[in-house]
Amino acid sequence: DAKTTQPNSMESNEEEPVHLPCNHSTISGTDYIHWYRQLPSQGPEYVIHGLTSNVNNRMASLAIAEDRKSSTLILHRATLRDAAVYYCILRYTGFQKLVFGTGTRLLVSP
Amino acid sequence: DTAVSQTPKYLVTQMGNDKSIKCEQNLGHDTMYWYKQDSKKFLKIMFSYNNKELIINETVPNRFSPKSPDKAHLNLHINSLELGDSAVYFCASSRNRGLGFRSSYEQYFGPGTRLTVT
């Protein structure tokens, strides 16, 4: 399974943008980049995913480097509710399993 | 409406007992999963079923036996519970595996079942 590397933790202030980085230098051409988050005492929650182009949805934006060896999850205005562990995961198209790493714990201060 | 539900939410039992956790999804998905999150918060896949057929079976002790009576349900039965089985178990579901290069679907997770073995 291709690996991802994320910082252990990041801090942000409420209402500020947050950029969560992820390195995946061994990504293959068929790997999608998925982001999930896990709020305290809850199950993981899908955030966004992409293959090559940048993606936007109501929760976040995903910026993918041209060589696809890194990506950044962007929360445009952090809220207290965004405090969670964010996981960057590479997913093969032919396989269904999600291989979770240790993720980035995001702390949001009022 | 809860998309992926699990019962029970909490389960406390003694070593050696047999217990089951139930999972149901009302999303019309074809694929369901079981994940285990241990005390260090590390999440790992255990099983995956597609259209009631086992497609992923990670290195899990054979005391763990998943059963899928239909596409909307995936239950997890655990025999002879051990202390190390204490964890939070998450059920998830997704659409069918993509057949094309450009297919990849998100998974929807249940709220988890916290199993404590004493």
Side-chain angles (χ1 to χ4, degrees):
Chain A
D1 297 319
K3 284 197 160 187
T4 63
T5 304
Q6 300 177 252
N8 286 336
S9 64
M10 292 184 66
E11 294 186 28
S12 174
N13 293 321
E14 207 176 4
E15 310 254 324
E16 288 184 355
V18 180
H19 290 234
L20 297 166
C22 181
N23 287 322
H24 29 78
S25 58
T26 59
I27 191 170
S28 74
T30 55
D31 285 337
Y32 277 79
I33 302 159
H34 283 247
W35 284 81
Y36 282 73
R37 71 180 185 182
Q38 188 173 20
L39 278 64
S41 301
Q42 293 190 28
E45 174 186 32
Y46 167 79
V47 178
I48 201 167
H49 77 278
L51 184 62
T52 56
S53 304
N54 294 345
V55 185
N56 300 297
N57 66 19
R58 64 175 178 80
M59 288 181 71
S61 295
L62 176 60
I64 301 172
E66 201 168 325
D67 62 5
R68 302 212 322 126
K69 293 185 176 182
S70 65
S71 61
T72 302
L73 179 70
I74 303 166
L75 307 179
H76 296 286
R77 288 179 66 198
T79 68
L80 296 178
R81 195 192 173 275
D82 291 323
V85 178
Y86 287 78
Y87 298 97
C88 169
I89 301 166
L90 300 183
R91 187 169 176 193
Y92 312 120
T93 57
F95 291 86
Q96 295 291 66
K97 66 181 181 181
L98 293 172
V99 180
F100 287 85
T102 52
T104 296
R105 181 172 296 279
L106 177 64
L107 305 170
V108 181
S109 302
Chain B
D1 275 349
T2 304
V4 181
S5 59
Q6 297 179 226
T7 53
K9 190 170 174 61
Y10 300 97
L11 184 53
V12 181
T13 187
Q14 291 184 329
M15 283 176 56
N17 284 349
D18 303 337
K19 290 293 179 184
S20 291
I21 307 172
K22 295 186 176 182
C23 177
E24 176 181 4
Q25 54 94 5
N26 62 5
L27 297 166
H29 289 163
D30 294 280
T31 308
M32 297 184 71
Y33 316 78
W34 278 110
Y35 288 84
K36 177 182 179 181
Q37 188 166 40
D38 60 26
S39 57
K40 295 183 179 177
K41 304 293 186 182
F42 187 59
L43 258 167
K44 189 172 181 185
I45 182 111
M46 300 174 68
F47 301 103
S48 174
Y49 268 74
N50 177 250
N51 285 318
K52 302 195 299 173
E53 179 185 345
L54 182 66
I55 56 172
I56 294 175
N57 184 352
E58 295 291 298
T59 49
V60 176
N62 56 16
R63 298 182 296 103
F64 290 78
S65 52
K67 282 190 172 51
S68 181
D70 54 59
K71 289 196 302 184
H73 296 84
L74 180 62
N75 303 323
L76 183 65
H77 188 77
I78 315 169
N79 290 326
S80 304
L81 278 155
E82 300 178 356
L83 293 177
D85 298 331
S86 295
V88 181
Y89 292 84
F90 290 101
C91 177
S93 73
S94 73
R95 290 171 62 183
N96 202 349
R97 73 174 79 194
L99 297 179
F101 173 72
R102 295 194 176 278
S103 300
S104 185
Y105 301 119
E106 60 266 33
Q107 293 186 12
Y108 293 82
F109 284 78
T113 296
R114 181 174 294 277
L115 170 65
T116 303
V117 182
T118 61

PDB file of all heavy atoms in Angstrom, chain B residues 36-63:
ATOM      1  N   LYS B  36     -11.513  -1.784  12.633  1.00  0.00           N
ATOM      2  CA  LYS B  36     -11.242  -1.818  14.072  1.00  0.00           C
ATOM      3  C   LYS B  36     -10.335  -0.644  14.415  1.00  0.00           C
ATOM      4  O   LYS B  36      -9.337  -0.406  13.723  1.00  0.00           O
ATOM      5  CB  LYS B  36     -10.556  -3.141  14.441  1.00  0.00           C
ATOM      6  CG  LYS B  36     -10.156  -3.245  15.901  1.00  0.00           C
ATOM      7  CD  LYS B  36      -9.444  -4.580  16.165  1.00  0.00           C
ATOM      8  CE  LYS B  36      -9.016  -4.693  17.621  1.00  0.00           C
ATOM      9  NZ  LYS B  36      -8.296  -5.965  17.896  1.00  0.00           N
ATOM     10  N   GLN B  37     -10.710   0.087  15.459  1.00  0.00           N
ATOM     11  CA  GLN B  37      -9.858   1.174  15.955  1.00  0.00           C
ATOM     12  C   GLN B  37      -9.394   0.822  17.352  1.00  0.00           C
ATOM     13  O   GLN B  37     -10.202   0.747  18.287  1.00  0.00           O
ATOM     14  CB  GLN B  37     -10.591   2.511  15.958  1.00  0.00           C
ATOM     15  CG  GLN B  37      -9.677   3.692  16.286  1.00  0.00           C
ATOM     16  CD  GLN B  37     -10.315   5.015  15.959  1.00  0.00           C
ATOM     17  OE1 GLN B  37     -11.504   5.228  16.185  1.00  0.00           O
ATOM     18  NE2 GLN B  37      -9.528   5.927  15.408  1.00  0.00           N
ATOM     19  N   ASP B  38      -8.107   0.626  17.498  1.00  0.00           N
ATOM     20  CA  ASP B  38      -7.583   0.173  18.787  1.00  0.00           C
ATOM     21  C   ASP B  38      -7.379   1.342  19.754  1.00  0.00           C
ATOM     22  O   ASP B  38      -7.731   2.475  19.436  1.00  0.00           O
ATOM     23  CB  ASP B  38      -6.281  -0.614  18.591  1.00  0.00           C
ATOM     24  CG  ASP B  38      -5.191   0.205  17.937  1.00  0.00           C
ATOM     25  OD1 ASP B  38      -5.217   1.448  18.057  1.00  0.00           O
ATOM     26  OD2 ASP B  38      -4.314  -0.394  17.298  1.00  0.00           O
ATOM     27  N   SER B  39      -6.794   1.037  20.889  1.00  0.00           N
ATOM     28  CA  SER B  39      -6.656   2.047  21.942  1.00  0.00           C
ATOM     29  C   SER B  39      -5.727   3.183  21.539  1.00  0.00           C
ATOM     30  O   SER B  39      -5.807   4.279  22.086  1.00  0.00           O
ATOM     31  CB  SER B  39      -6.146   1.395  23.231  1.00  0.00           C
ATOM     32  OG  SER B  39      -4.924   0.730  22.975  1.00  0.00           O
ATOM     33  N   LYS B  40      -4.871   2.939  20.573  1.00  0.00           N
ATOM     34  CA  LYS B  40      -3.982   3.988  20.080  1.00  0.00           C
ATOM     35  C   LYS B  40      -4.610   4.751  18.926  1.00  0.00           C
ATOM     36  O   LYS B  40      -3.940   5.524  18.250  1.00  0.00           O
ATOM     37  CB  LYS B  40      -2.640   3.382  19.643  1.00  0.00           C
ATOM     38  CG  LYS B  40      -1.867   2.780  20.793  1.00  0.00           C
ATOM     39  CD  LYS B  40      -0.517   2.242  20.346  1.00  0.00           C
ATOM     40  CE  LYS B  40       0.230   1.666  21.540  1.00  0.00           C
ATOM     41  NZ  LYS B  40       1.526   1.065  21.154  1.00  0.00           N
ATOM     42  N   LYS B  41      -5.883   4.519  18.695  1.00  0.00           N
ATOM     43  CA  LYS B  41      -6.659   5.222  17.666  1.00  0.00           C
ATOM     44  C   LYS B  41      -6.267   4.842  16.248  1.00  0.00           C
ATOM     45  O   LYS B  41      -6.595   5.566  15.310  1.00  0.00           O
ATOM     46  CB  LYS B  41      -6.529   6.751  17.833  1.00  0.00           C
ATOM     47  CG  LYS B  41      -6.933   7.246  19.205  1.00  0.00           C
ATOM     48  CD  LYS B  41      -8.413   7.050  19.431  1.00  0.00           C
ATOM     49  CE  LYS B  41      -8.859   7.672  20.738  1.00  0.00           C
ATOM     50  NZ  LYS B  41     -10.298   7.435  20.998  1.00  0.00           N
ATOM     51  N   PHE B  42      -5.604   3.708  16.102  1.00  0.00           N
ATOM     52  CA  PHE B  42      -5.215   3.271  14.779  1.00  0.00           C
ATOM     53  C   PHE B  42      -6.363   2.498  14.147  1.00  0.00           C
ATOM     54  O   PHE B  42      -6.822   1.509  14.717  1.00  0.00           O
ATOM     55  CB  PHE B  42      -3.957   2.412  14.885  1.00  0.00           C
ATOM     56  CG  PHE B  42      -3.365   2.045  13.568  1.00  0.00           C
ATOM     57  CD1 PHE B  42      -2.949   3.020  12.688  1.00  0.00           C
ATOM     58  CD2 PHE B  42      -3.239   0.721  13.198  1.00  0.00           C
ATOM     59  CE1 PHE B  42      -2.409   2.692  11.463  1.00  0.00           C
ATOM     60  CE2 PHE B  42      -2.698   0.381  11.971  1.00  0.00           C
ATOM     61  CZ  PHE B  42      -2.280   1.363  11.099  1.00  0.00           C
ATOM     62  N   LEU B  43      -6.816   2.953  12.986  1.00  0.00           N
ATOM     63  CA  LEU B  43      -7.954   2.356  12.290  1.00  0.00           C
ATOM     64  C   LEU B  43      -7.472   1.367  11.241  1.00  0.00           C
ATOM     65  O   LEU B  43      -6.646   1.713  10.385  1.00  0.00           O
ATOM     66  CB  LEU B  43      -8.740   3.438  11.564  1.00  0.00           C
ATOM     67  CG  LEU B  43     -10.011   3.939  12.174  1.00  0.00           C
ATOM     68  CD1 LEU B  43     -10.456   5.202  11.490  1.00  0.00           C
ATOM     69  CD2 LEU B  43     -11.110   2.886  12.064  1.00  0.00           C
ATOM     70  N   LYS B  44      -8.038   0.157  11.263  1.00  0.00           N
ATOM     71  CA  LYS B  44      -7.603  -0.837  10.296  1.00  0.00           C
ATOM     72  C   LYS B  44      -8.780  -1.645   9.763  1.00  0.00           C
ATOM     73  O   LYS B  44      -9.668  -2.028  10.519  1.00  0.00           O
ATOM     74  CB  LYS B  44      -6.585  -1.778  10.940  1.00  0.00           C
ATOM     75  CG  LYS B  44      -5.919  -2.700   9.935  1.00  0.00           C
ATOM     76  CD  LYS B  44      -4.796  -3.478  10.549  1.00  0.00           C
ATOM     77  CE  LYS B  44      -4.178  -4.364   9.460  1.00  0.00           C
ATOM     78  NZ  LYS B  44      -3.150  -5.244   9.963  1.00  0.00           N
ATOM     79  N   ILE B  45      -8.771  -1.888   8.462  1.00  0.00           N
ATOM     80  CA  ILE B  45      -9.835  -2.689   7.858  1.00  0.00           C
ATOM     81  C   ILE B  45      -9.741  -4.125   8.329  1.00  0.00           C
ATOM     82  O   ILE B  45      -8.649  -4.654   8.548  1.00  0.00           O
ATOM     83  CB  ILE B  45      -9.759  -2.647   6.321  1.00  0.00           C
ATOM     84  CG1 ILE B  45     -10.901  -3.451   5.712  1.00  0.00           C
ATOM     85  CG2 ILE B  45      -8.432  -3.185   5.831  1.00  0.00           C
ATOM     86  CD1 ILE B  45     -11.911  -2.648   5.028  1.00  0.00           C
ATOM     87  N   MET B  46     -10.897  -4.739   8.514  1.00  0.00           N
ATOM     88  CA  MET B  46     -10.940  -6.149   8.855  1.00  0.00           C
ATOM     89  C   MET B  46     -11.528  -6.953   7.698  1.00  0.00           C
ATOM     90  O   MET B  46     -10.938  -7.906   7.212  1.00  0.00           O
ATOM     91  CB  MET B  46     -11.810  -6.355  10.097  1.00  0.00           C
ATOM     92  CG  MET B  46     -11.319  -5.620  11.325  1.00  0.00           C
ATOM     93  SD  MET B  46     -12.482  -5.761  12.691  1.00  0.00           S
ATOM     94  CE  MET B  46     -12.344  -7.490  13.092  1.00  0.00           C
ATOM     95  N   PHE B  47     -12.726  -6.576   7.285  1.00  0.00           N
ATOM     96  CA  PHE B  47     -13.441  -7.322   6.250  1.00  0.00           C
ATOM     97  C   PHE B  47     -14.155  -6.361   5.316  1.00  0.00           C
ATOM     98  O   PHE B  47     -14.473  -5.246   5.683  1.00  0.00           O
ATOM     99  CB  PHE B  47     -14.520  -8.231   6.875  1.00  0.00           C
ATOM    100  CG  PHE B  47     -14.015  -9.232   7.859  1.00  0.00           C
ATOM    101  CD1 PHE B  47     -14.188  -9.017   9.212  1.00  0.00           C
ATOM    102  CD2 PHE B  47     -13.396 -10.389   7.426  1.00  0.00           C
ATOM    103  CE1 PHE B  47     -13.733  -9.948  10.131  1.00  0.00           C
ATOM    104  CE2 PHE B  47     -12.939 -11.328   8.336  1.00  0.00           C
ATOM    105  CZ  PHE B  47     -13.111 -11.099   9.697  1.00  0.00           C
ATOM    106  N   SER B  48     -14.427  -6.883   4.117  1.00  0.00           N
ATOM    107  CA  SER B  48     -15.299  -6.156   3.199  1.00  0.00           C
ATOM    108  C   SER B  48     -16.154  -7.169   2.446  1.00  0.00           C
ATOM    109  O   SER B  48     -15.676  -8.227   2.032  1.00  0.00           O
ATOM    110  CB  SER B  48     -14.482  -5.334   2.211  1.00  0.00           C
ATOM    111  OG  SER B  48     -15.346  -4.755   1.249  1.00  0.00           O
ATOM    112  N   TYR B  49     -17.428  -6.825   2.288  1.00  0.00           N
ATOM    113  CA  TYR B  49     -18.367  -7.652   1.544  1.00  0.00           C
ATOM    114  C   TYR B  49     -18.927  -6.834   0.399  1.00  0.00           C
ATOM    115  O   TYR B  49     -19.285  -5.672   0.563  1.00  0.00           O
ATOM    116  CB  TYR B  49     -19.537  -8.089   2.446  1.00  0.00           C
ATOM    117  CG  TYR B  49     -19.323  -9.405   3.142  1.00  0.00           C
ATOM    118  CD1 TYR B  49     -18.453  -9.492   4.215  1.00  0.00           C
ATOM    119  CD2 TYR B  49     -19.991 -10.541   2.729  1.00  0.00           C
ATOM    120  CE1 TYR B  49     -18.244 -10.704   4.856  1.00  0.00           C
ATOM    121  CE2 TYR B  49     -19.800 -11.759   3.372  1.00  0.00           C
ATOM    122  CZ  TYR B  49     -18.925 -11.832   4.435  1.00  0.00           C
ATOM    123  OH  TYR B  49     -18.727 -13.020   5.079  1.00  0.00           O
ATOM    124  N   ASN B  50     -19.024  -7.463  -0.761  1.00  0.00           N
ATOM    125  CA  ASN B  50     -19.659  -6.850  -1.911  1.00  0.00           C
ATOM    126  C   ASN B  50     -20.776  -7.776  -2.380  1.00  0.00           C
ATOM    127  O   ASN B  50     -20.523  -8.931  -2.734  1.00  0.00           O
ATOM    128  CB  ASN B  50     -18.641  -6.629  -3.034  1.00  0.00           C
ATOM    129  CG  ASN B  50     -19.286  -6.065  -4.281  1.00  0.00           C
ATOM    130  OD1 ASN B  50     -19.403  -6.739  -5.293  1.00  0.00           O
ATOM    131  ND2 ASN B  50     -19.715  -4.828  -4.202  1.00  0.00           N
ATOM    132  N   ASN B  51     -21.997  -7.265  -2.375  1.00  0.00           N
ATOM    133  CA  ASN B  51     -23.146  -8.101  -2.756  1.00  0.00           C
ATOM    134  C   ASN B  51     -23.151  -9.434  -2.012  1.00  0.00           C
ATOM    135  O   ASN B  51     -23.326 -10.502  -2.602  1.00  0.00           O
ATOM    136  CB  ASN B  51     -23.163  -8.363  -4.271  1.00  0.00           C
ATOM    137  CG  ASN B  51     -23.619  -7.142  -5.040  1.00  0.00           C
ATOM    138  OD1 ASN B  51     -24.564  -6.474  -4.636  1.00  0.00           O
ATOM    139  ND2 ASN B  51     -22.936  -6.838  -6.113  1.00  0.00           N
ATOM    140  N   LYS B  52     -22.929  -9.364  -0.740  1.00  0.00           N
ATOM    141  CA  LYS B  52     -22.940 -10.501   0.182  1.00  0.00           C
ATOM    142  C   LYS B  52     -21.754 -11.445  -0.003  1.00  0.00           C
ATOM    143  O   LYS B  52     -21.706 -12.508   0.598  1.00  0.00           O
ATOM    144  CB  LYS B  52     -24.251 -11.293   0.084  1.00  0.00           C
ATOM    145  CG  LYS B  52     -25.500 -10.486   0.364  1.00  0.00           C
ATOM    146  CD  LYS B  52     -26.711 -11.361   0.625  1.00  0.00           C
ATOM    147  CE  LYS B  52     -27.055 -12.239  -0.534  1.00  0.00           C
ATOM    148  NZ  LYS B  52     -28.136 -13.196  -0.225  1.00  0.00           N
ATOM    149  N   GLU B  53     -20.798 -11.063  -0.822  1.00  0.00           N
ATOM    150  CA  GLU B  53     -19.627 -11.907  -1.044  1.00  0.00           C
ATOM    151  C   GLU B  53     -18.410 -11.289  -0.370  1.00  0.00           C
ATOM    152  O   GLU B  53     -18.145 -10.085  -0.531  1.00  0.00           O
ATOM    153  CB  GLU B  53     -19.365 -12.056  -2.540  1.00  0.00           C
ATOM    154  CG  GLU B  53     -18.159 -12.906  -2.883  1.00  0.00           C
ATOM    155  CD  GLU B  53     -17.882 -12.904  -4.374  1.00  0.00           C
ATOM    156  OE1 GLU B  53     -18.767 -12.499  -5.147  1.00  0.00           O
ATOM    157  OE2 GLU B  53     -16.771 -13.302  -4.759  1.00  0.00           O
ATOM    158  N   LEU B  54     -17.661 -12.086   0.360  1.00  0.00           N
ATOM    159  CA  LEU B  54     -16.463 -11.606   1.036  1.00  0.00           C
ATOM    160  C   LEU B  54     -15.391 -11.269   0.004  1.00  0.00           C
ATOM    161  O   LEU B  54     -15.001 -12.105  -0.804  1.00  0.00           O
ATOM    162  CB  LEU B  54     -15.946 -12.689   1.992  1.00  0.00           C
ATOM    163  CG  LEU B  54     -14.711 -12.341   2.815  1.00  0.00           C
ATOM    164  CD1 LEU B  54     -15.033 -11.224   3.805  1.00  0.00           C
ATOM    165  CD2 LEU B  54     -14.207 -13.572   3.549  1.00  0.00           C
ATOM    166  N   ILE B  55     -14.923 -10.013   0.003  1.00  0.00           N
ATOM    167  CA  ILE B  55     -13.898  -9.618  -0.967  1.00  0.00           C
ATOM    168  C   ILE B  55     -12.597  -9.187  -0.297  1.00  0.00           C
ATOM    169  O   ILE B  55     -11.547  -9.176  -0.923  1.00  0.00           O
ATOM    170  CB  ILE B  55     -14.390  -8.496  -1.905  1.00  0.00           C
ATOM    171  CG1 ILE B  55     -14.882  -7.278  -1.114  1.00  0.00           C
ATOM    172  CG2 ILE B  55     -15.482  -9.004  -2.821  1.00  0.00           C
ATOM    173  CD1 ILE B  55     -15.187  -6.074  -1.988  1.00  0.00           C
ATOM    174  N   ILE B  56     -12.654  -8.783   0.938  1.00  0.00           N
ATOM    175  CA  ILE B  56     -11.443  -8.435   1.684  1.00  0.00           C
ATOM    176  C   ILE B  56     -11.495  -9.155   3.014  1.00  0.00           C
ATOM    177  O   ILE B  56     -12.491  -9.087   3.726  1.00  0.00           O
ATOM    178  CB  ILE B  56     -11.317  -6.918   1.932  1.00  0.00           C
ATOM    179  CG1 ILE B  56     -11.116  -6.176   0.616  1.00  0.00           C
ATOM    180  CG2 ILE B  56     -10.155  -6.625   2.879  1.00  0.00           C
ATOM    181  CD1 ILE B  56     -11.115  -4.672   0.770  1.00  0.00           C
ATOM    182  N   ASN B  57     -10.433  -9.850   3.331  1.00  0.00           N
ATOM    183  CA  ASN B  57     -10.325 -10.519   4.619  1.00  0.00           C
ATOM    184  C   ASN B  57      -8.892 -10.315   5.071  1.00  0.00           C
ATOM    185  O   ASN B  57      -8.000 -11.056   4.667  1.00  0.00           O
ATOM    186  CB  ASN B  57     -10.680 -11.998   4.482  1.00  0.00           C
ATOM    187  CG  ASN B  57     -10.671 -12.722   5.819  1.00  0.00           C
ATOM    188  OD1 ASN B  57     -10.262 -12.162   6.838  1.00  0.00           O
ATOM    189  ND2 ASN B  57     -11.108 -13.961   5.826  1.00  0.00           N
ATOM    190  N   GLU B  58      -8.671  -9.277   5.847  1.00  0.00           N
ATOM    191  CA  GLU B  58      -7.324  -8.988   6.321  1.00  0.00           C
ATOM    192  C   GLU B  58      -6.923 -10.040   7.360  1.00  0.00           C
ATOM    193  O   GLU B  58      -7.705 -10.901   7.713  1.00  0.00           O
ATOM    194  CB  GLU B  58      -7.273  -7.583   6.913  1.00  0.00           C
ATOM    195  CG  GLU B  58      -7.536  -6.503   5.892  1.00  0.00           C
ATOM    196  CD  GLU B  58      -6.418  -6.366   4.871  1.00  0.00           C
ATOM    197  OE1 GLU B  58      -5.285  -6.039   5.273  1.00  0.00           O
ATOM    198  OE2 GLU B  58      -6.672  -6.574   3.676  1.00  0.00           O
ATOM    199  N   THR B  59      -5.717  -9.949   7.841  1.00  0.00           N
ATOM    200  CA  THR B  59      -5.233 -10.963   8.784  1.00  0.00           C
ATOM    201  C   THR B  59      -5.922 -10.795  10.123  1.00  0.00           C
ATOM    202  O   THR B  59      -5.409 -10.160  11.042  1.00  0.00           O
ATOM    203  CB  THR B  59      -3.709 -10.853   8.955  1.00  0.00           C
ATOM    204  OG1 THR B  59      -3.393  -9.472   9.195  1.00  0.00           O
ATOM    205  CG2 THR B  59      -2.998 -11.317   7.718  1.00  0.00           C
ATOM    206  N   VAL B  60      -7.103 -11.334  10.186  1.00  0.00           N
ATOM    207  CA  VAL B  60      -7.912 -11.250  11.389  1.00  0.00           C
ATOM    208  C   VAL B  60      -8.073 -12.660  11.940  1.00  0.00           C
ATOM    209  O   VAL B  60      -8.270 -13.598  11.166  1.00  0.00           O
ATOM    210  CB  VAL B  60      -9.298 -10.648  11.045  1.00  0.00           C
ATOM    211  CG1 VAL B  60     -10.202 -10.625  12.257  1.00  0.00           C
ATOM    212  CG2 VAL B  60      -9.144  -9.254  10.462  1.00  0.00           C
ATOM    213  N   PRO B  61      -7.966 -12.846  13.265  1.00  0.00           N
ATOM    214  CA  PRO B  61      -8.165 -14.191  13.820  1.00  0.00           C
ATOM    215  C   PRO B  61      -9.494 -14.790  13.379  1.00  0.00           C
ATOM    216  O   PRO B  61     -10.492 -14.072  13.230  1.00  0.00           O
ATOM    217  CB  PRO B  61      -8.154 -13.935  15.333  1.00  0.00           C
ATOM    218  CG  PRO B  61      -7.406 -12.667  15.507  1.00  0.00           C
ATOM    219  CD  PRO B  61      -7.673 -11.840  14.293  1.00  0.00           C
ATOM    220  N   ASN B  62      -9.528 -16.083  13.188  1.00  0.00           N
ATOM    221  CA  ASN B  62     -10.763 -16.694  12.704  1.00  0.00           C
ATOM    222  C   ASN B  62     -11.831 -16.766  13.791  1.00  0.00           C
ATOM    223  O   ASN B  62     -12.913 -17.312  13.558  1.00  0.00           O
ATOM    224  CB  ASN B  62     -10.509 -18.065  12.080  1.00  0.00           C
ATOM    225  CG  ASN B  62      -9.804 -18.995  13.028  1.00  0.00           C
ATOM    226  OD1 ASN B  62      -9.755 -18.752  14.236  1.00  0.00           O
ATOM    227  ND2 ASN B  62      -9.245 -20.067  12.510  1.00  0.00           N
ATOM    228  N   ARG B  63     -11.550 -16.206  14.955  1.00  0.00           N
ATOM    229  CA  ARG B  63     -12.617 -16.017  15.952  1.00  0.00           C
ATOM    230  C   ARG B  63     -13.604 -14.966  15.487  1.00  0.00           C
ATOM    231  O   ARG B  63     -14.716 -14.878  15.992  1.00  0.00           O
ATOM    232  CB  ARG B  63     -12.011 -15.585  17.293  1.00  0.00           C
ATOM    233  CG  ARG B  63     -11.074 -16.599  17.919  1.00  0.00           C
ATOM    234  CD  ARG B  63     -10.549 -16.116  19.267  1.00  0.00           C
ATOM    235  NE  ARG B  63      -9.730 -14.921  19.162  1.00  0.00           N
ATOM    236  CZ  ARG B  63     -10.128 -13.695  19.479  1.00  0.00           C
ATOM    237  NH1 ARG B  63     -11.345 -13.496  19.926  1.00  0.00           N
ATOM    238  NH2 ARG B  63      -9.301 -12.667  19.369  1.00  0.00           N
TER     239      ARG B  63
END
